[in-house]
Amino acid sequence: MTALIITGLLITGVRLATPLLLAALGEVMAERAGVINVGIEGMVLAGALAGFSVSYHTHSPWLGLLAAIVAGAALALLFALFAVRLRADQVITGTAINILALGLTGVFFRAQFSQSGASAVVFEPLAIPALHKLPIIGVALFEQNVLGYLSWLLVPACALFLSKTVAGLRLRATGEYPEAAAANGVRVARVRTLAIVWGGALAGLAGAYLSIAYTNGFVENMSAGRGFIALAVVILGRWRPAGVLIAALLFGLASALQYQFQATASHIPYQFFLALPYLLTLAALLLRGRGRFAAPAALGDGARQG
C-alpha cells in the first residue's frame, strides 16, 4: 500500500512539475541575460489556448505545439520590444503582458467555443520498454508524453549551452557585466531579445503541455499562477538548469500532496497543501541572493544595456 501511495505521488508530482520545468528553463536564459520576464505567466496561458485551439481544429497536436511556441514567442517579442528596446520597467511591462494575455485568451476562447467540453487531439503517454516497469519510479519517469521527455532533455542541453558555448558565455556576460560585454563587441540588446524569445517559446510549450498533454481542454486562466511559480523555481534552482530541475520537482511534489491528502483521512486541513506550493514560492524569495550562487549582477537593470 505504501509503495502504491509513493508511486501515485511521484506520477502526479512529475506531471505537475513538467510545465514548471519548461517555463523555468526558458526563464533561466532570460534572467542569465539580465532580464526578469514577469510576463511568463501570460505566455504560458497564450500557449495553452493556441495549442488547444489549433489541435482542436486541425486534429494535429504537433501543429498545436507549433502554434503554442509561436504564441509564446510572439508575446515574448512584444515584451522585449518594450523592456529591452524601449527600456521600459520590466516588472510593469511583464504585468501588462499578463493582463493582455488573460483578456485576449478569454475573448478568443469564447469566440471559438460557445460550449464547454470541447476536446482536442492530445499527446499520449509513450512508455519506454522495460524501464516503465521498474517499481515505484517506472511509470512516473518512463511513461510520459513527448513533452515530458523533452523537458528532461532540455536540462542538459541548456546547461551545456550556458557553460560550453561561446553564445552561452556572451549571454552570461550580458547578465553580469553588460557594459564590458558591449565593449567586447557583444550586442547586448540582441542577446537579451533572443533570450527572452527563447523563454517565451518554452513558456508556450509549458502552456501546450497543460492543454494538450496533461489535460484535454482549456479553461480561462488555466495557467493558475504557474508562470509566477516558475520565477520562484529559477530562484530556488540558483539560476542553474540542474537546480531548476530539482526545484521544479519539489514544487510538483508539493502540489501533488494536496491530491494525495484529499484522498486520505488526514486530520490536516487540505487547504494547507493547496497553499504549500505558494509557501515554497515565498521561501524561494527569502532565499534569493543567499548562498553560493547569487542572481546575475545586472538582473532587472534595464538601464544597463551596454
Side-chain angles (χ1 to χ4, degrees):
M1 182 61 70
T2 302
L4 289 175
I5 293 175
I6 295 175
T7 299
L9 184 64
L10 286 175
I11 292 172
T12 305
V14 169
R15 290 176 180 174
L16 290 172
T18 299
L20 299 178
L21 178 59
L22 286 168
L25 285 174
E27 181 64 15
V28 163
M29 295 298 181
E31 295 200 10
R32 293 297 292 269
V35 179
I36 301 176
N37 183 5
V38 179
I40 190 172
E41 171 77 6
M43 296 166 199
V44 172
L45 187 58
L49 177 61
F52 177 75
S53 297
V54 173
S55 180
Y56 175 83
H57 291 296
T58 65
H59 306 291
S60 171
W62 292 104
L63 290 177
L65 188 64
L66 178 61
I69 293 172
V70 171
L75 276 183
L77 192 60
L78 180 62
F79 173 85
L81 172 64
F82 285 92
V84 177
R85 298 293 174 173
L86 300 180
R87 303 189 182 186
D89 184 274
Q90 295 173 11
V91 174
I92 294 176
T93 302
T95 302
I97 291 292
N98 290 334
I99 296 172
L100 175 66
L102 181 61
L104 288 180
T105 52
V107 169
F108 284 122
F109 176 69
R110 295 184 184 186
Q112 292 181 79
F113 306 100
S114 58
Q115 60 201 25
S116 60
S119 59
V121 180
V122 300
F123 290 105
E124 299 292 342
L126 301 173
I128 297 179
L131 292 178
H132 79 286
K133 294 183 179 180
L134 292 173
I136 300 179
I137 65 170
V139 177
L141 299 181
F142 304 111
E143 198 170 315
Q144 301 189 55
N145 57 64
V146 64
L147 294 184
Y149 294 125
L150 177 62
S151 68
W152 290 79
L153 291 174
L154 282 172
V155 174
C158 290
L160 289 173
F161 172 81
L162 287 171
S163 62
K164 302 297 183 180
T165 67
V166 174
L169 175 61
R170 290 173 178 169
L171 184 144
R172 289 187 287 120
T174 297
E176 295 288 349
Y177 311 105
E179 298 90 348
N184 282 277
V186 177
R187 299 174 64 178
V188 172
R190 181 180 180 182
V191 170
R192 287 180 169 173
T193 298
L194 290 175
I196 292 168
V197 171
W198 167 257
L202 286 191
L205 272 178
Y209 180 88
L210 290 175
S211 60
I212 58 175
Y214 182 65
T215 65
N216 182 6
F218 178 86
V219 295
E220 294 182 44
N221 197 27
M222 76 177 301
S223 53
R226 287 179 175 86
F228 297 116
I229 294 179
L231 291 169
V233 166
V234 173
I235 297 171
L236 198 60
R238 297 302 188 190
W239 295 271
R240 284 355 186 228
V244 163
L245 171 61
I246 296 171
L249 288 173
L250 178 62
F251 275 92
L253 291 171
S255 299
L257 278 175
Q258 63 177 282
Y259 301 110
Q260 189 67 52
F261 276 84
Q262 286 183 53
T264 64
S266 172
H267 296 292
I268 303 175
Y270 77 92
Q271 290 87 352
F272 170 78
F273 298 98
L274 288 174
L276 191 55
Y278 305 98
L279 293 175
L280 287 175
T281 302
L282 294 175
L285 293 175
L286 290 174
L287 290 172
R288 180 175 179 171
R290 299 180 182 179
R292 178 182 174 187
F293 299 115
L299 181 60
D301 191 353
R304 296 174 63 189
Q305 301 288 344

